[in-house]
Amino acid sequence: MFLNGTAMAGGADHHLVGGAPLVARTTTAPRYRFHAVDGRYPALEDVGEGGAAVEGEVYDLSYEQLREVLLPGEPEGLELGVVELADGTGSLAMILRREHSKVPPLTDISELASWRAYREQS
């Protein structure tokens, strides 16, 4: 599972990862716009061309951990999807809901490409 927000190491929700091992610190392929949703959590939006490579961490979560612990804690503006990583492989990740018109205000933070960098400056 690719994590790019509060569940990364050192984040407020990292406890939701439990004992799942860290597989890699990496980035997505450069095909995503990266948003702060109402300043509270990050969201990836696949735009293909013109996107950014967003920083994150990949964890080897069990389906039980994903289903019972991580997903129930995710905000309504996100949904489970698959992202392309820098090396061309895919990973499960939380992405911006397709019907994002119902999502609170978005701030494009693609230039930062890092939730930690955004939180440090806000």
Side-chain angles (χ1 to χ4, degrees), residues 5-69:
T6 61
M8 289 191 302
D13 294 323
H14 185 66
H15 65 278
L16 298 174
V17 174
L22 175 67
V23 175
R25 288 183 176 86
T26 188
T27 65
T28 64
R31 58 177 300 140
Y32 300 93
R33 298 309 295 169
F34 194 44
H35 304 282
V37 182
D38 202 25
R40 297 181 300 125
Y41 59 89
L44 290 167
E45 178 182 23
D46 190 346
V47 295
E49 296 292 319
V54 177
E55 293 178 13
E57 300 169 348
V58 177
Y59 287 87
D60 187 10
L61 292 173
S62 70
Y63 288 120
E64 180 182 20
Q65 181 78 5
L66 181 64
R67 180 185 66 243
E68 303 296 330
V69 180

Side-chain angles (χ1 to χ4, degrees), residues 14 44 73-74 79-80 99 106 115 121-122:
H14 185 66
L44 290 167
E74 292 293 338
E79 64 186 4
L80 187 61
E99 297 179 17
L106 301 175
W115 184 247
Q121 80 168 27
S122 57

